[in-house]
């Protein structure tokens, strides 16, 4: 494919590359590499900066799944930073409150905040830097100020009445003078700086580097951080989408019992590429199922802006997301038939269902001959009829909230999160997708200055479903970093924000690069789309079928052909679909490695750096 114009170059070098959803995180991570840190040190430092500078999309009280390649171990590993459900969180508890769904905001949907433990576990076991040095940039931005991008201001504006009238601890953090902050000015979150500084001070007296990191983990999950969360969630009644004030269920014991854990990734093959994702507690296998189906549909022979390409990828996504609904869950708690879902015979069966017309049905499969049972999708209708939606829903919101009957059609609630990829000169690679604990998700814990994740909203309250709420289980998150080998050698770290769109945007990006020869930046910037054909993962979990939302940069003939094939096509803004970050490494014939990176220009925040 001939080189085409891009808004910025694909970054190329040999020393190190970083791509993330915010230029400050990218620059901080690159500065760590410049000062002798490795990819794990750099990713952790960048991840902590993302918590501060993208507070509308993640925070210290969130979660993070991580995929990484350690050149010493010569394998891809997954590190699960998804926290589990509290022991008190049962379907019966929520049903006693008259609820059909776990609320999307407030204290009730909290899980254990896993990001801190995951980042520190990665740093302890694979990094080289002291925790104090890794945390320093985040602390400095929180204490001295960081630039507010417009989306942060829009997020605060959307919930200002809630903060003023109900969530006073959040008003103290985000509206310190009683007003919505001014965009593009420096903003400070000193309470977060104080929290991290106190952790460092308390851990500094321990023995060696590893002992100090372990001490910091212990302080977070068993010390003053856990105690502050326990006290706040136990004693404060907070208004949420039920329209009532409820205390939370998260306790010190839940925090103390949790730890980040290493797992083998799930993989599938596409030509030269072995693609790795996190397990079925994440959205990741949806990506792999799509690849498994598409390789039986001749996708490599269709141009990436053609109606045939979009149709086939969209229909494969419909089938994969239907399987997610029917079969995915925490494999520690339920039997997920993952091997059967990813086997070639099953992929052939599913591919045979895709014809020339758009499917208007939700069609889970029967892997291994099993029968499925879907959740009651009318729960969303009943929930909306009795809920208070003035102050937000499950995903981050960035604009003044209109009446519910309007936002269902207009899709004004744009959910996002964060992502960071790093590759260093030794070939170590990290792909991480931090999220949760965004500023409008739950009230800030006063002593800590940050909110706690609301990921429990991704469970169901019906009994005997793979995604049924179970105490101690991990909810099936949307978060989905990716990694790929090429010809058996480590090649790519990639990912995107976007909730249910993550393993849609990333699939079309990957196909454009791997099968159609686009460089990273070209593949990222190319016109993209997403489907709605399943209940949303975020509260209120409404179901839309057979809709494609596509950037208007697609050829008009493509959009018209999709409509003629039966798709409901919604034309979006020119630059509205996709948030991809990506980095690659490849050996040079004369020795050394060529490193590349690309970043999303949409939203004017993502940046790739390297040399």
């Amino acid at each position: 494919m001939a080189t085409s114009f891009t808004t910025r170059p694909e970054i190329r070098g040999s020393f190190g590359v970083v791509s993330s959803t915010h230029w400050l995180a990218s620059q901080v991570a690159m500065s760590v590499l410049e000062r002798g840190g490795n990819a794990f040190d750099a990713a952790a430092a960048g991840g902590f900066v993302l918590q501060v500078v993208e507070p509308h999309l993640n925070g210290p009280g969130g979660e993070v799944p991580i995929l990484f390649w350690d050149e010493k171990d010569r394998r891809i590993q997954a590190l699960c930073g998804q926290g589990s459900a509290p022991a008190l969180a049962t379907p019966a508890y929520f049903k006693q409150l008259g609820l059909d769904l776990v609320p999307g905001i407030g204290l009730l949907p909290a899980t254990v905040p896993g990001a801190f433990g995951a980042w520190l576990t990665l740093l302890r076991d694979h990094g080289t830097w002291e925790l104090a040095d890794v945390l320093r940039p985040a602390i400095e931005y929180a204490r001295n100020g960081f630039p507010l991008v417009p989306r942060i201001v829009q997020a605060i504006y959307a919930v200002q009445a809630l903060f003023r009238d109900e969530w006073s601890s959040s008003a103290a953090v985000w509206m310190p003078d009683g007003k919505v902050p001014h965009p593009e000015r420096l903003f400070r979150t000193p309470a977060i700086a104080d929290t991290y500084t106190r952790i460092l001070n308390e851990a500094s007296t321990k023995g060696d580097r590893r002992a100090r990191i372990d001490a910091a983990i212990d302080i977070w999950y068993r010390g003053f951080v856990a105690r502050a969360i326990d006290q706040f969630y136990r004693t404060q009644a907070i208004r949420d989408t039920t329209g009532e004030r409820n205390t939370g269920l998260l306790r010190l014991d839940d925090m103390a019992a949790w730890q980040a854990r290493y797992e083998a990734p799930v993989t599938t093959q596409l030509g030269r590429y072995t693609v790795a994702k996190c397990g079925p507690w994440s959205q990741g296998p949806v990506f792999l199922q799509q690849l498994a189906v598409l390789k039986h549909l001749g996708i490599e022979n269709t141009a990436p802006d053609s109606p045939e390409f979009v149709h086939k990828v969209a229909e494969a996504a419909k089938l994969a997301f239907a399987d997610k609904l029917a079969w995915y869950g925490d494999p520690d708690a339920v039997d997920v038939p993952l091997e059967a879902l990813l086997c070639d015979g099953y992929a052939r069966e599913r591919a045979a269902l895709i014809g020339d017309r758009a499917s208007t049905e939700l069609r889970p499969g029967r892997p291994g001959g099993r029968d499925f049972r879907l959740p009651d999708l009318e729960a969303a209708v009943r929930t909306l009829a009795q809920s208070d939606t003035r102050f937000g829903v499950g995903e981050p919101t960035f604009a003044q909230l209109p009446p519910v009957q309007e936002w269902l059609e207009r899709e004004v609630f744009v959910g996002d999160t964060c992502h960071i990829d790093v590759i260093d000169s030794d070939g170590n690679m990290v792909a991480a997708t931090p999220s949760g604990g965004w500023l409008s998700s739950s009230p800030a814990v006063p002593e800590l200055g940050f909110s706690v994740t609301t990921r429990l909203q991704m469970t169901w309250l019906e009994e005997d479903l793979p995604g049924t709420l179970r105490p101690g289980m991990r909810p099936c998150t949307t978060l989905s970093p990716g990694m790929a080998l090429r010809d058996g050698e480590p090649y790519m770290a990639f990912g995107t924000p976007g909730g249910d769109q993550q393993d849609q945007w990333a699939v079309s990006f990957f196909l454009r690069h791997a099968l159609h020869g686009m460089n990273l930046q070209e593949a990222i910037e190319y016109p993209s789309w997403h489907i709605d054909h399943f209940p949303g993962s975020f509260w209120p979990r409404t179901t839309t079928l057979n809709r494609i939302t596509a950037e208007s940069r697609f050829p008009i003939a493509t959009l018209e052909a999709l409509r003629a094939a039966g798709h409901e096509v919604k034309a979006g803004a020119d630059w509205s679909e996709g948030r991809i970050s990506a980095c690659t490494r490849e050996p040079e014939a004369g020795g050394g490695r060529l490193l590349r990176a690309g970043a999303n220009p949409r939203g004017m925040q993502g940046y790739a750096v390297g040399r």
Side-chain angles (χ1 to χ4, degrees):
M1 177 171 290
T3 301
S4 59
F5 172 81
T6 54
T7 63
R8 58 185 75 172
E10 179 187 69
I11 300 299
R12 300 170 190 173
S14 58
F15 176 78
V17 286
V18 179
S19 180
S20 87
T21 49
H22 198 290
W23 70 90
L24 290 178
S26 295
Q27 290 285 44
V28 164
M30 192 67 202
S31 77
V32 172
L33 298 181
E34 295 283 5
R35 289 177 287 159
N38 65 19
F40 312 109
D41 303 317
F48 282 116
V49 167
L50 286 173
Q51 294 175 358
V52 174
V53 302
E54 291 198 292
H56 54 315
L57 305 177
N58 82 141
E63 55 271 315
V64 59
I66 303 171
L67 289 173
F68 67 94
W69 172 276
D70 190 322
E71 191 67 13
K72 295 178 183 177
D73 296 335
R74 296 288 300 170
R75 58 176 174 152
I76 299 175
Q77 295 184 72
L79 181 55
C80 178
Q82 174 57 61
S84 53
L88 295 175
T90 65
Y93 182 89
F94 287 95
K95 289 175 181 177
Q96 287 175 1
L97 297 178
L99 302 179
D100 284 324
L101 295 172
V102 176
I105 63 172
L107 302 185
L108 286 173
T111 60
V112 174
F116 189 82
W119 282 125
L120 266 63
T121 298
L122 183 73
L123 179 67
R124 180 194 66 197
D125 297 342
H126 301 275
T128 63
W129 273 29
E130 288 284 347
L131 177 58
D133 296 324
V134 167
L135 276 173
R136 183 171 292 116
I139 292 172
E140 289 176 348
Y141 280 123
R143 194 175 304 286
N144 300 328
F146 60 94
L148 285 178
V149 296
R151 278 287 181 92
I152 299 175
V153 178
Q154 291 167 0
I156 298 170
Y157 183 85
V159 291
Q160 59 179 312
L162 176 66
F163 283 8
R164 286 195 184 102
D165 299 340
E166 301 285 347
W167 294 8
S168 57
S169 59
S170 291
V173 174
W174 301 110
M175 302 166 61
D177 60 356
K179 300 178 181 178
V180 175
H182 193 281
E184 306 299 345
R185 291 181 180 171
L186 292 182
F187 189 84
R188 295 168 178 80
T189 49
I192 292 175
D194 291 344
T195 295
Y196 279 141
T197 300
R198 180 177 172 184
I199 291 171
L200 292 175
N201 289 340
E202 291 189 13
S204 65
T205 60
K206 306 304 177 184
D208 58 9
R209 171 184 173 275
R210 185 180 185 91
R212 286 187 286 275
I213 294 175
D214 280 335
I217 295 173
D218 191 69
I219 292 165
W220 186 276
Y221 292 99
R222 299 166 191 86
F224 81 88
V225 174
R227 290 195 300 271
I229 292 172
D230 178 284
Q231 176 69 12
F232 189 69
Y233 275 64
R234 187 188 298 270
T235 63
Q236 299 301 305
I238 299 297
R239 188 176 296 280
D240 53 40
T241 44
T242 67
E244 305 295 334
R245 294 183 176 91
N246 292 290
T247 55
L249 304 175
L250 188 59
R251 299 290 184 266
L252 175 60
D253 288 347
D254 300 313
M255 300 277 289
W258 185 87
Q259 62 180 359
R261 49 191 281 194
Y262 294 107
E263 298 179 353
V266 183
T267 63
T268 199
Q269 198 75 22
L270 181 73
R272 303 171 63 189
Y273 298 90
T274 304
V275 183
K277 286 283 184 174
C278 296
W281 53 266
S282 78
Q283 193 186 90
V286 166
F287 186 108
L288 307 182
Q289 284 195 252
Q290 291 174 79
L291 293 190
V293 167
L294 289 167
K295 65 185 178 184
H296 295 297
L297 297 177
I299 195 68
E300 69 279 4
N301 299 318
T302 56
D305 64 350
S306 67
E308 294 81 11
F309 181 88
V310 178
H311 172 76
K312 289 177 179 180
V313 176
E315 293 300 301
K318 290 177 181 179
L319 296 175
F321 275 94
D323 277 344
K324 174 179 180 284
L325 178 65
W327 299 111
Y328 288 21
D330 184 346
D332 291 343
V334 296
D335 181 17
V336 181
L338 193 58
E339 184 176 351
L341 287 167
L342 291 173
C343 77
D344 191 63
Y346 182 73
R348 286 180 182 273
E349 291 177 16
R350 301 293 272 166
L353 296 175
I354 298 176
D356 295 333
R357 299 289 300 172
S359 170
T360 58
E361 301 175 53
L362 194 58
R363 297 188 289 180
R366 291 177 168 81
R370 296 190 187 189
D371 288 327
F372 62 83
R373 185 170 72 84
L374 296 181
D376 175 14
L377 302 185
E378 291 300 307
V381 178
R382 296 192 300 272
T383 296
L384 281 173
Q386 61 185 14
S387 296
D388 184 350
T389 58
R390 291 174 297 162
F391 304 124
V393 289
E395 294 185 88
T397 57
F398 309 116
Q400 188 173 18
L401 306 187
V404 65
Q405 64 268 22
E406 293 183 24
W407 64 254
L408 277 174
E409 293 302 319
R410 291 170 52 193
E411 297 185 27
V412 300
F413 298 99
V414 180
D416 264 324
T417 180
C418 309
H419 188 81
I420 185 169
D421 302 306
V422 183
I423 303 178
D424 65 25
S425 59
D426 293 325
N428 299 307
M429 304 167 60
V430 179
T433 311
S435 188
W438 47 76
L439 64 88
S440 56
S441 62
S442 61
V445 181
E447 297 164 65
L448 306 176
F450 61 78
S451 304
V452 173
T453 177
T454 52
R455 195 63 58 172
L456 206 65
Q457 65 183 289
M458 294 182 172
T459 61
W460 298 97
L461 298 181
E462 289 179 68
E463 298 289 351
D464 301 323
L465 297 169
T468 297
L469 170 61
R470 295 170 175 86
M473 70 166 277
R474 293 170 288 183
C476 189
T477 179
T478 52
L479 306 175
S480 185
M483 196 160 277
L485 309 179
R486 189 171 71 178
D487 301 326
E489 288 297 311
Y491 177 65
M492 179 188 287
F494 66 98
T496 178
D500 288 319
Q501 286 78 54
Q502 289 184 36
D503 287 302
Q504 300 187 55
W505 293 335
V507 167
S508 57
F509 153 79
F510 186 81
L511 294 172
R512 291 190 291 264
H513 176 71
L515 299 184
H516 295 98
M518 295 185 189
N519 72 32
L520 295 180
Q521 197 62 40
E522 290 169 340
I524 288 169
E525 294 193 16
Y526 206 76
S528 194
W529 76 92
H530 78 271
I531 67 159
D532 293 297
H533 193 79
F534 44 84
S537 293
F538 292 91
W539 190 96
R541 314 211 68 173
T542 51
T543 302
T544 301
L545 297 179
N546 193 35
R547 177 186 292 170
I548 291 179
T549 302
E551 289 181 335
S552 297
R553 292 185 294 134
F554 269 102
I556 294 175
T558 293
L559 301 181
E560 289 304 316
L562 290 169
R563 290 188 177 102
H567 295 279
E568 179 193 333
V569 178
K570 178 180 178 180
D574 285 354
W575 294 87
S576 56
E577 295 286 324
R579 310 283 188 272
I580 305 289
S581 300
C583 298
T584 61
R585 52 166 275 194
E586 52 194 296
E588 283 289 279
R593 296 185 183 88
L594 175 62
L595 307 180
R596 304 174 190 258
N600 168 53
R602 299 165 179 89
M604 299 183 292
Q605 279 186 220
Y607 231 82
V609 294
R611 70 169 180 85

